Amino acid sequence: MLKDVLKEINDSDYISKTNIAAKLNKSEGLIEDAFFQLNRMGYIKEEKTINSCNLKCSNCPYSNSCNNIPIKSITVTEKGKKLLGR
Amino acid sequence: MNTIALVGNPNSGKTTLFNALTGSNQHVGNWPGVTVEKKEGVLKFNEKIYNIVDLPGTYSLGAFSEDEIVARDYILKGNPNVVINVVDATNIERNLYLTTQLLEMGAKVVVALNMIDEAKERNIKFDIKALSEKLGAPVIPTVASKRKGIEELIKQSIELIEKDIDFKANISYGENIDKEVEKLKGFLNNKDLEYPSQWIAIKLLEGDKYIYELVNKDENVNSSNEFKNVIHNIKNNTEDYELEIVDKRYEFVSNIADLTVTLPDEAEETITDKIDKVLTHKWLGLPIFALIMLIVFQLTFTVGEDLFGELMGRGIEILSEIIENLLIIINSPSWIISFVTEGIIGGVGAVVEFVPLIVVLYMLMGFLEDSGYMARAAYVMDNIMRALGLQGKTFISMIVGFGCNVPGIMSTRTLENKKDRMIAILINPFMSCGAKLPIYLVFIAAFFPNNGGLVLFFLYLLGIVVALLMGKIFSKTLFKGESSYFIMELPPYRLPTLRNVLRNMWDNVSGFLKRAGTTIFAVVTVLWVLAMLPLGVEPYGQSSILGQIGLFIAPIFRPAGFGTWQAAVGLFSGIAAKEAVIATLGMVYAGVSQGAELVSTIQEVFTPLTAASFMVMTLLYIPCAATIGTIKKETNSYKWAIFTVVYTFAIGWLGAVLVFQIGSLLGFS
């Protein structure tokens, strides 16, 4: 299943866990868990834009508003690509 | 005293069950050596007392987090007499992964199938008997919040304490791994280890570093050369084994769920899916994004300027008159009156006057952000970035740059590829930050009041287009190499909450006001002094130091149509902070410059065409000092900071000149 999820991630234009769950006939919760496992094992890398607010710019008057857009990005790592290539 | 441990996924209702079991008989501490909270309580049942331990909520029992380690160590080493695994019945597949790991550990497990009422409401049905048989553990439906099924759960747990049964998961990890497990068990059995040998074998194959260390330290186990060879071979295949083991657990869970759980008929296409089919459409996505932004900008002017703008301008004028009169009454020196009314109120007031527009703009943007649309906008733009051969993540830093270029540039740290990062840093200043808004708003109010939204829209668009073009040029010249790609996760749409929208608006407006009261105030003070010196010259005149600086720079801007010393000084001060452009213009058109008067003065000294070229210049030219400093810091090079100053000035100047010269040729004035 994990490889199937990884393939779906790699082949998608954008990630929708609902779509992947429907396509693989699994529950969304299980797909959520699969993402967690793939991330833990280093096959994908998940990042949220909020990370970039971990900056030393608290003195900036705009620091509260610098990064409100909740964008989560996922990159298939080299390890992930290697697995898909097999 | 017998001990019952509670373990479960976060939000499975574990703590509610703990409270239901223990009532007020509980205390909170910390697990030794870590900052994870430890909750213990006492259950009194049939005149017997049981110790209840609430383990941290976790999805897995690996060594990925402190919570996981605490939970697994307690189950394996704390020797609870029974483990109640709280399972969320509405999300059973995900929850059973943890159950599987508990069974692998050989723990005596009772499954509390919690929130069974919610599952029923969602039409999820269970064959409890079959589920219990497949897992090899009792399964008790519960609703912890309503104390339903609790007594049965306690009875089953106590019954299990007294029984001598071996619990194990009947999972096959595939022929190869099963053989390896058996081989390892051969070395591990009867070695008096802290953990069960079957579990250690699986963990070794999964590449669990903690278990590797444990085994390596144990001379009883590690003394055998044969064992060392086996471990060495395993290490070379850990990646494959780990994936396979996790996958087999999922297979085990899925098979059980398929046989024992009936889910409602296939979910219909969600509202999010339906909306996304349109909003993220390959061809429609971008025009829709453009249209939405156009509406946002137009509404900003209609609501912000037309309804509240005049009120704010009038308010500042009245405040100015009151303060001036007060200062006259208390016989203040004329230079103080000049500084306060012309310097502070003329300069800072000219910026503050646009607060109503900022309020409306950021409320609308907050609405879009909270609804989940902005992530779609980023996705739509990501497609263009890819088409241009640029890293999509660059656009995230560009979006951040719309607020302020400093965090925009700092957010490029998430780009691993140096080429991608350098390009993202160098093009970020073209993103029209919030500080540039007052400049546009003054010029739009002066010359394009009926098309304000459209003009603002084209300015933002121009910034994006120039940034993308420069990105493309840089990727073909200065920073060649292959870009890396990423995929974006789109959150579901939701109805924005008033609280979030207002908070977003306030974050931005308070930042804007803070800047007006600090940076802009400081810049205005310095410029006011320069406008007064040397003593004896006409204040705010071209003979003042400020006027002389302006006169020196002004010729550069003649081809762009705004070669006055005031405009030049305004642009110069904008290097300190972009709002200072308007504060400076407000001040140098001295005394005449509060509120709507600045707009009418600008109408006298600019034309629609020169206003357009001036706005293009302010959009594209040298970023503010804080941004330049950040570029130096992030690239660790003065070279790139200076390069940015020079090239953005050249682009800004070229853009302004093109607008003015082409406009003139076409007969605009």
Side-chain angles (χ1 to χ4, degrees), chain A residues 1-4 6 8-19 22 25-43 45-49 51-76 79 81-83 86, chain B residues 59-60 62 64 68 91 93-94 97 206 239-240 242-243 246-247 250 253-254 258 263 266 270 273 276-277 280 362 369 374-375 378-379 382-383 386 393 396 399-401 403-404 406-407 410-414 416 434-435 484-491 504 507-508 510-512 514-515 518-519 579 633:
Chain A
M1 185 194 82
L2 289 174
K3 200 173 168 182
D4 294 335
L6 187 64
E8 285 300 322
I9 295 170
N10 194 53
D11 295 348
S12 304
D13 283 337
Y14 64 86
I15 303 290
S16 159
K17 284 173 185 159
T18 318
N19 287 350
N25 198 22
K26 304 283 177 200
S27 72
E28 213 175 315
L30 197 67
I31 298 299
E32 179 91 39
D33 211 38
F35 271 65
F36 167 76
Q37 294 289 356
L38 287 169
N39 188 40
R40 184 183 65 80
M41 289 188 268
Y43 291 99
K45 196 172 153 196
E46 289 186 303
E47 277 169 329
K48 288 178 187 167
T49 43
N51 288 347
S52 58
C53 250
N54 257 348
L55 310 167
K56 304 279 180 204
C57 64
S58 55
N59 290 332
C60 167
Y62 291 115
S63 60
N64 285 339
S65 59
C66 73
N67 215 337
N68 284 331
I69 304 164
I71 297 172
K72 190 172 172 187
S73 65
I74 291 164
T75 315
V76 177
K79 187 178 171 185
K81 283 176 189 161
K82 213 169 107 186
L83 177 70
R86 273 189 233 156
Chain B
Y59 292 108
S60 172
F64 191 58
E68 287 186 12
N91 200 356
E93 278 189 307
R94 184 176 202 188
Y97 186 85
E206 272 191 274
E239 278 183 15
D240 291 342
E242 187 186 21
L243 186 82
V246 175
D247 228 6
Y250 282 124
V253 167
S254 283
D258 285 348
L263 295 168
E266 201 174 304
T270 62
D273 291 336
D276 271 346
K277 271 191 178 164
T280 60
Y362 284 113
E369 283 171 16
M374 287 312 280
Y379 166 69
D382 174 45
N383 284 340
R386 288 187 195 207
K393 237 189 260 183
I396 295 177
I399 284 188
V400 177
C404 175
V406 171
M410 288 169 109
S411 70
T412 62
R413 287 177 188 178
T414 57
E416 295 87 1
S484 53
Y485 293 119
F486 79 113
I487 310 128
M488 219 176 272
E489 186 183 334
L490 301 183
N504 179 68
D507 283 345
N508 282 284
S510 62
F512 184 79
K514 234 188 265 178
R515 292 252 303 177
T518 52
T519 313
E579 303 96 322
K633 200 171 140 205

Side-chain angles (χ1 to χ4, degrees), chain B residues 273-433:
Chain B
D273 291 336
K274 284 177 187 164
I275 300 173
D276 271 346
K277 271 191 178 164
V278 181
L279 294 188
T280 60
H281 187 271
K282 198 176 175 185
W283 303 112
L284 293 176
L286 195 61
I288 290 172
F289 173 45
L291 185 68
I292 289 173
M293 292 318 292
L294 186 59
I295 292 169
V296 165
F297 290 140
Q298 197 55 52
L299 274 176
T300 301
F301 278 92
T302 311
V303 182
E305 178 66 16
D306 297 353
L307 291 183
F308 304 112
E310 207 174 304
L311 274 177
M312 192 74 179
R314 184 77 195 122
I316 291 173
E317 261 180 60
I318 293 169
L319 182 72
S320 172
E321 280 167 22
I322 292 170
I323 291 174
E324 189 174 358
N325 288 337
L326 271 175
L327 291 171
I328 291 168
I329 289 167
I330 59 169
N331 288 326
S332 301
S334 60
W335 67 268
I336 287 190
I337 297 173
S338 162
F339 175 66
V340 173
T341 59
E342 293 159 9
I344 297 175
I345 299 177
V348 179
V351 176
V352 172
E353 191 188 328
F354 294 95
V355 164
L357 279 95
I358 307 270
V359 166
V360 177
L361 178 65
Y362 284 113
M363 273 186 82
L364 293 170
M365 293 301 287
F367 185 88
L368 289 179
E369 283 171 16
D370 206 33
S371 69
Y373 177 70
M374 287 312 280
R376 269 81 187 169
Y379 166 69
V380 168
M381 285 306 298
D382 174 45
N383 284 340
I384 299 175
M385 305 289 288
R386 288 187 195 207
L388 286 169
L390 298 171
Q391 155 69 286
K393 237 189 260 183
T394 305
F395 192 70
I396 295 177
S397 65
M398 286 163 73
I399 284 188
V400 177
F402 278 134
C404 175
N405 294 149
V406 171
I409 287 165
M410 288 169 109
S411 70
T412 62
R413 287 177 188 178
T414 57
L415 298 166
E416 295 87 1
N417 184 320
K418 195 188 170 191
K419 170 213 163 184
D420 294 331
R421 186 160 187 233
M422 284 305 297
I423 292 175
I425 289 173
L426 294 182
I427 65 175
N428 202 278
F430 294 127
M431 293 299 97
S432 196
C433 69

